[in-house]
């Protein structure tokens, strides 16, 4: 049976992105309900949200994995990805943004722009994702719509254009005033299904007209034809207004701002209408670029079924019943069940087994997926996050997704021999799903270490390992993932010579080591943290021995010199050396490179680097002094303090991660359970000497 051709103009690939607790999952739940995907609304607070289908998500009331759902709204297919807001799961947001065409950024009407909102906004900027803003929780005491709009400008340098204003705020919130149609919209009935449109009440008329004028001015300045009409005082039609607003939104020049309360079922349907009106279809975004795996020639693929297939896998889920599910976005061509594809990232051929379309945790088999669409494949063996699947006769590698390095680690030991085997399988599966989760076996201690983005991240992975894979294990305390670097240049000349009867081993290398400058650091490719430069002239070291020299240096850097932590932020230049016609080998140069690096770091004024976190604490005003004092005692630097709605204050600081373990309990005790905080990685900073001495002494 021929598959009906997808009308790409009627497809929207959108993500719902925001800070933790801004109401993303609640909003997604409403989207599913109003689009007819579910018939009963589940709630986060009672553990029944459709997209939070993992046990850990339901218990904690937070989203951990990005859930992809297909829904239909006013004759359009909408692929929605509900992403996590907690900073420990930032990789989930990053990989989702990589494949989305548009985003709905949800803000808490009381808290405004919070730290993780800044992070997701920055990530959306990096990937060029057009977005609209939804100011949620307008029914809460202390909600302030205008303050939220101002914060979008102050905190994230956004270009908000207000297209709706709330009809009342806090307990008075009763509906929204739409500035495009100039009507008051109310949502009646228990589920807000009964949408009524009224004339704007007199008390709000002047404000609505002023705001509408501001909106028109902001939109027409991006369109020469409409600017002329506006200056000539001619009427601008609704279609012209929406067309210009859509073009400016897609170009990233503006971000339309809407409002509502997802929990109280107000504003979500109108938000969906504006998703269709203002966010791009796969045809509105630039064609995807990639390279030929063998020649590195740049290639372009357009969103059409007629071009060779190119798809990007952006997420892996291990399902206990059906095995591995690989979520993918098709950029060009079609992916058919049963066909052969080439994983161009790894050079492996893969057979596409079943293709399923996801409705949160319910799935439906489909025969093929066309350009511009998102679905999941069962049965891929070698394909992981960031890999490209392409037509074997027209290979292309799409740009990989780069992820941040883990900042926290803990040791984990199985309780029995049977658990040891199960633990190996479980950790490998979890690492396949999550690119920010790293496993390291310490041969000296015979210990397994797991590394992640934060305490919650590792806690959930360990919980999943024990529940889903039945592993019993003893878990150590979380520890900071330090780094090492040098503070001054050093030049080292190392000769490795060994004679053991017959041919010996000989290699001489001269390395210059320097700390990276800010410009050099900025120019590093994604995922790299040091620079290696070959300055050999006149063949003093043959070409085949240069790579082993650098590999030896890299191996030594991974094992650290001061306290066993990876060495980063260094420029390593190979400037000279010597070889022997008979005795030189790749192994000899590798050993020489390793010896040279260890000596170079010792000579280069080695220091320990510790991860510093951006921390934001929200507390009632009475506790501000206590919180500031406590953060300062934790070696924190206070960056700023802002008043929040409802008599609360937000304290922003940068604090070393090592001082923040167990902070949640302390904060509860200091504020009688009324404080809340968020934390995200900022940068690595030089640790004070007394901390470095402690770390070196404890041999951590």
């Amino acid at each position: 049976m021929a598959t009906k051709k997808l009308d790409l103009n009627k497809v929207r690939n959108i993500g719902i992105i925001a800070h933790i607790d801004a109401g993303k999952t609640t909003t997604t739940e409403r989207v599913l309900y109003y689009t007819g995907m579910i018939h009963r609304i589940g709630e986060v607070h009672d553990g029944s949200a459709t997209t939070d289908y993992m046990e850990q998500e339901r218990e904690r009331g937070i989203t951990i994995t990005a859930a992809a759902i297909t829904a239909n709204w006013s004759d359009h297919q909408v692929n929605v990805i509900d992403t996590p807001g907690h900073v420990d799961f930032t990789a989930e947001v990053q990989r989702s943004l990589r494949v989305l065409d548009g985003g709905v950024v949800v803000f808490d009407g009381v808290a405004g722009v919070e730290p993780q909102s800044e992070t997701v906004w920055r990530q959306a900027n990096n990937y060029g994702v057009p977005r609209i803003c939804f100011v949620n929780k307008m029914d809460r005491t202390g909600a302030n719509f205008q303050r939220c709009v101002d914060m979008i400008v102050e905190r994230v340098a956004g270009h908000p254009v207000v297209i709706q204003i709330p009809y009342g705020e806090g307990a008075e919130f009763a509906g929204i005033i739409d500035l495009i149609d100039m009507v008051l919209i109310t949502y009646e009935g228990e589920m807000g299904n009964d949408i009524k449109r009224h004339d704007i009440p007199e008390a709000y008329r002047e404000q609505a007209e002023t705001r509408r004028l501001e909106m028109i001015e902001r939109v027409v300045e991006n369109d020469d034809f409409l600017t002329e009409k506006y200056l000539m005082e001619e009427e601008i039609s609704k279609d012209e207004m929406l067309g210009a607003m859509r073009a400016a939104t897609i170009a990233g020049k503006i971000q339309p701002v809407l409002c509502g309360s997802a929990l109280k079922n107000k504003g979500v349907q109108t938000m969906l209408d504006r998703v269709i009106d203002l966010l791009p279809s796969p045809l509105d975004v630039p064609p995807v670029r990639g390279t030929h795996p063998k020649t590195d020639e740049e290639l372009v693929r357009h969103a059409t079924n007629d071009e060779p297939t190119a798809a990007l896998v952006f997420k892996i889920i291990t399902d206990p019943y059906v095995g591995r599910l690989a979520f993918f976005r098709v950029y060009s061509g079609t992916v058919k069940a049963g066909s052969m594809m080439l994983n161009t990232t790894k050079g492996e051929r893969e057979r596409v087994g079943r293709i399923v379309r996801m409705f949160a945790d319910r799935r439906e088999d489909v025969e093929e997926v066309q350009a511009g669409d998102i679905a999941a494949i069962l049965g891929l063996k070698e394909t992981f996050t960031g890999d490209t699947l392409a037509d074997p006769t027209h290979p292309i590698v799409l740009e990989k997704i780069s992820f941040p390095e883990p900042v926290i680690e803990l040791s984990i030991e199985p309780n029995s021999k049977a658990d040891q085997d199960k633990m190996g399988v479980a950790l490998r599966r979890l690492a396949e799903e999550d690119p920010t989760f790293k496993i390291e076996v310490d041969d000296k201690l015979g210990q397994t270490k797991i590394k992640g983005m934060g305490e919650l991240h590792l806690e959930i992975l360990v919980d999943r390992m024990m529940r889903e894979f039945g592993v019993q294990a003893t878990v150590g305390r979380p520890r900071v993932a330090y780094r090492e670097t040098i503070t001054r240049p050093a030049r080292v000349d190392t000769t490795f010579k060994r004679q053991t009867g017959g041919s010996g081993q000989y290699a001489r290398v001269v390395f210059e080591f320097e700390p990276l400058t800010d410009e050099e650091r900025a120019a590093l490719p994604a995922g790299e943290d040091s620079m290696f430069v070959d300055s050999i002239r006149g063949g003093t070291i043959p070409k085949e021995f240069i790579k082993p020299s650098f590999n030896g240096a890299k191996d030594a850097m991974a094992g650290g010199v001061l306290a066993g932590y990876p060495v980063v932020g260094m420029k390593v230049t190979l400037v000279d050396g010597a070889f022997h016609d008979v005795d030189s080998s790749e192994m000899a140069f590798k050993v020489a490179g390793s010896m040279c690096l260890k000596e170079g770091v010792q000579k280069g004024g080695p220091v320990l680097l510790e991860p510093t976190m951006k921390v934001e604490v929200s507390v009632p005003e009475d506790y501000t002094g206590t919180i500031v004092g406590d953060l300062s005692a934790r070696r924190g630097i206070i960056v700023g303090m802002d008043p929040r709605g409802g008599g609360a204050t937000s304290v922003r600081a940068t604090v070393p991660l090592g001082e923040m373990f167990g902070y949640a309990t302390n904060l509860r005790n200091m504020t009688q359970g009324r404080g809340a905080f968020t934390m995200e990685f900022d940068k690595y900073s030089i640790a004070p000497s007394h901390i470095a001495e402690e770390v070196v002494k404890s041999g951590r």
Side-chain angles (χ1 to χ4, degrees):
M1 186 183 85
T3 309
K4 185 168 161 259
K5 193 170 187 315
L6 196 63
D7 179 355
L8 286 185
N9 280 311
K10 294 195 169 180
V11 173
R12 298 288 180 274
N13 293 313
I14 63 157
I16 296 190
I17 55 178
H19 181 91
I20 189 166
D21 275 348
K24 294 176 304 302
T25 301
T26 307
T27 305
T28 307
E29 202 65 20
R30 279 14 181 217
V31 168
L32 293 184
Y33 175 76
Y34 295 128
T35 55
M37 292 292 111
I38 55 173
H39 302 292
R40 189 186 76 80
I41 291 182
E43 299 295 4
V44 174
H45 53 78
D46 62 17
S48 60
T50 311
T51 52
D52 285 352
Y53 54 86
M54 284 166 59
E55 283 176 46
Q56 291 83 353
E57 295 179 307
R58 293 188 165 173
E59 285 167 8
R60 288 172 173 80
I62 60 168
T63 301
I64 295 167
T65 61
I69 309 118
T70 300
N72 292 293
W73 183 255
S74 69
D75 198 25
H76 285 65
Q77 177 182 310
V78 185
N79 295 319
V80 185
I81 296 187
D82 171 31
T83 63
H86 198 287
V87 64
D88 286 11
F89 309 105
T90 184
E92 287 286 334
V93 185
Q94 214 156 319
R95 55 184 168 191
S96 302
L97 283 169
R98 170 71 176 81
V99 297
L100 293 170
D101 299 327
V104 177
V105 188
V106 181
F107 294 105
D108 180 325
V110 178
V113 179
E114 298 170 273
Q116 189 63 10
S117 321
E118 294 180 44
T119 307
V120 296
W121 192 277
R122 228 177 17 251
Q123 289 172 332
N125 283 345
N126 291 345
Y127 287 116
V129 177
R131 63 217 90 137
I132 61 175
C133 306
F134 182 65
V135 179
N136 191 24
K137 303 193 180 185
M138 286 309 304
D139 59 307
R140 275 184 60 200
T141 307
N144 186 328
F145 179 71
Q146 188 52 46
R147 196 173 136 273
C148 214
V149 175
D150 294 341
M151 285 179 86
I152 295 173
V153 179
E154 290 158 21
R155 287 277 188 100
V156 294
H159 308 289
V161 172
V162 173
I163 64 169
Q164 290 177 354
I165 55 172
Y167 178 49
E169 289 184 348
E172 306 289 306
F173 179 65
I176 58 175
I177 293 170
D178 188 294
L179 303 178
I180 294 174
D181 290 331
M182 281 305 270
V183 290
L184 163 65
I185 304 172
T186 58
Y187 301 84
E188 290 163 24
E190 195 192 341
M191 305 314 300
N193 278 330
D194 188 6
I195 301 173
K196 296 263 193 329
R197 297 162 87 83
H198 321 261
D199 289 339
I200 297 171
E202 205 50 53
Y204 279 83
R205 190 122 205 112
E206 192 183 334
Q207 186 194 349
E209 280 169 357
T210 309
R211 283 304 188 82
R212 177 175 163 85
L213 209 56
E214 283 171 15
M215 173 190 81
I216 293 171
E217 284 174 358
R218 289 290 308 280
V219 172
V220 301
E221 69 186 25
N222 296 297
D223 185 301
D224 294 344
F225 173 68
L226 290 189
T227 305
E228 202 172 310
K229 270 189 111 167
Y230 177 69
L231 294 172
M232 303 295 287
E233 295 185 6
E234 290 176 31
E235 186 63 36
I236 294 171
S237 72
K238 178 185 171 180
D239 287 349
E240 286 174 327
M241 174 60 63
L242 282 174
M245 196 180 285
R246 178 189 175 87
T249 304
I250 292 171
K253 291 175 181 171
I254 63 168
Q255 290 88 35
V257 184
L258 301 87
C259 60
S261 164
L263 188 63
K264 294 290 193 291
N265 308 312
K266 290 178 168 59
V268 176
Q269 299 100 311
T270 325
M271 184 264 285
L272 274 170
D273 289 337
R274 297 303 177 224
V275 162
I276 303 297
D277 292 336
L278 303 174
L279 287 180
S281 75
L283 297 173
D284 296 317
V285 293
V288 71
R289 296 182 178 278
T291 53
H292 192 286
K294 291 203 168 64
T295 62
D296 280 344
E297 169 202 353
E298 188 173 282
L299 302 168
V300 176
R301 293 282 189 271
H302 296 83
T304 162
N305 295 346
D306 305 329
E307 289 205 3
T309 304
L312 184 77
V313 172
F314 66 95
K315 181 176 171 54
I316 300 288
I317 289 183
T318 302
D319 185 299
Y321 304 109
V322 293
R324 279 200 316 124
L325 271 169
F327 283 82
F328 67 104
R329 155 88 191 251
V330 184
Y331 283 98
S332 63
T334 57
V335 175
K336 292 186 170 67
S339 64
M340 287 301 289
M341 301 285 285
L342 178 67
N343 176 336
T344 49
T345 315
K346 301 224 170 62
E348 302 274 352
R349 290 175 85 85
E350 285 272 35
R351 186 178 176 280
V352 177
R354 283 167 60 199
I355 301 180
V356 290
R357 194 176 281 299
M358 303 297 291
F359 300 100
D361 57 347
R362 184 169 62 82
R363 39 187 84 91
E364 201 175 86
D365 281 77
V366 289
E367 280 306 301
E368 69 170 33
V369 185
Q370 302 175 23
D373 209 350
I374 289 175
I377 300 176
L378 282 162
L380 297 180
K381 291 186 171 57
E382 302 294 331
T383 303
F384 300 109
T385 299
D387 287 358
T388 303
L389 291 173
D391 179 335
T393 56
H394 295 86
I396 182 174
V397 181
L398 301 176
E399 182 194 349
K400 273 187 84 75
I401 311 169
S402 60
F403 295 105
E405 282 297 306
V407 292
I408 190 168
E409 62 180 44
L410 51 81
S411 60
I412 185 161
E413 292 188 20
N415 291 356
S416 67
K417 179 76 182 78
D419 283 319
Q420 186 164 3
D421 298 338
K422 280 198 284 188
M423 186 173 94
V425 172
L427 291 178
R428 198 171 62 249
R429 291 264 178 84
L430 292 168
E432 285 172 1
E433 284 187 29
D434 185 347
T436 55
F437 175 52
K438 300 276 196 297
I439 307 154
E440 194 178 277
V441 178
D442 188 325
D443 295 328
K444 290 191 281 245
L445 300 173
Q447 215 181 40
T448 301
K449 285 184 193 162
I450 57 174
K451 302 182 176 189
M453 300 306 295
E455 283 182 273
L456 180 66
H457 187 203
L458 291 182
E459 185 190 316
I460 280 164
L461 286 162
V462 168
D463 192 24
R464 285 188 63 195
M465 180 186 82
M466 291 177 170
R467 280 197 214 182
E468 290 174 29
F469 298 93
V471 178
Q472 295 305 308
T474 306
V475 180
R477 282 180 52 232
R479 299 187 313 195
V480 176
Y482 294 100
R483 297 280 185 271
E484 301 173 13
T485 193
I486 58 172
T487 53
R488 57 174 184 259
R491 181 186 171 101
V492 179
D493 185 335
T494 300
T495 303
F496 171 62
K497 197 188 269 185
R498 186 163 293 167
Q499 205 66 42
T500 50
S503 67
Q505 297 280 8
Y506 177 85
R508 175 176 164 247
V509 293
V510 182
F511 275 128
E512 284 178 356
F513 304 101
E514 300 162 81
L516 281 178
T517 64
D518 289 344
E519 290 78 26
E520 286 169 338
R521 195 175 272 110
L524 287 175
E528 297 290 321
D529 45 33
S530 284
M531 185 183 281
F532 297 87
V533 182
D534 169 15
S535 286
I536 291 294
R537 298 286 171 270
T540 51
I541 298 179
K543 264 222 167 330
E544 66 266 26
F545 295 145
I546 288 171
K547 196 173 177 191
S549 306
F550 282 133
N551 286 345
K554 284 178 185 173
D555 288 353
M557 285 168 83
V561 175
L562 257 188
Y565 289 100
V567 181
V568 298
M570 212 159 65
K571 183 178 178 182
V572 181
T573 311
L574 182 56
V575 291
D576 200 2
F579 70 104
H580 186 279
D581 288 341
V582 178
D583 291 352
S584 286
S585 66
E586 288 191 6
M587 182 50 76
F589 273 93
K590 192 171 180 182
V591 173
S594 174
M595 289 163 57
C596 192
L597 182 116
K598 285 177 181 169
E599 191 183 334
V601 173
Q602 294 289 9
K603 276 187 172 178
V607 288
L608 199 69
L609 297 173
E610 61 180 354
T612 308
M613 312 302 280
K614 271 190 207 164
V615 178
E616 181 157 345
V617 189
S618 215
V619 287
E621 273 168 30
D622 312 354
Y623 299 104
T624 311
T626 313
I627 294 305
V628 169
D630 180 69
L631 288 173
S632 301
R634 293 170 185 270
R635 298 193 285 126
I637 296 164
I638 306 300
V639 177
M641 284 158 57
D642 304 311
R644 283 276 158 97
T649 301
S650 153
V651 180
R652 287 179 288 130
T654 56
V655 192
L657 173 62
E659 304 289 342
M660 290 300 290
F661 289 141
Y663 184 66
T665 311
N666 286 21
L667 181 64
R668 268 200 301 276
N669 295 341
M670 285 187 290
T671 61
Q672 298 176 337
R674 293 167 68 197
F677 84 104
T678 57
M679 178 167 81
E680 68 168 310
F681 174 69
D682 184 26
K683 61 178 190 289
Y684 271 96
S685 314
I686 295 176
S689 53
H690 69 279
I691 298 284
E693 279 163 26
E694 257 176 61
V695 173
V696 173
K697 207 182 295 171
S698 65
R700 287 203 270 181

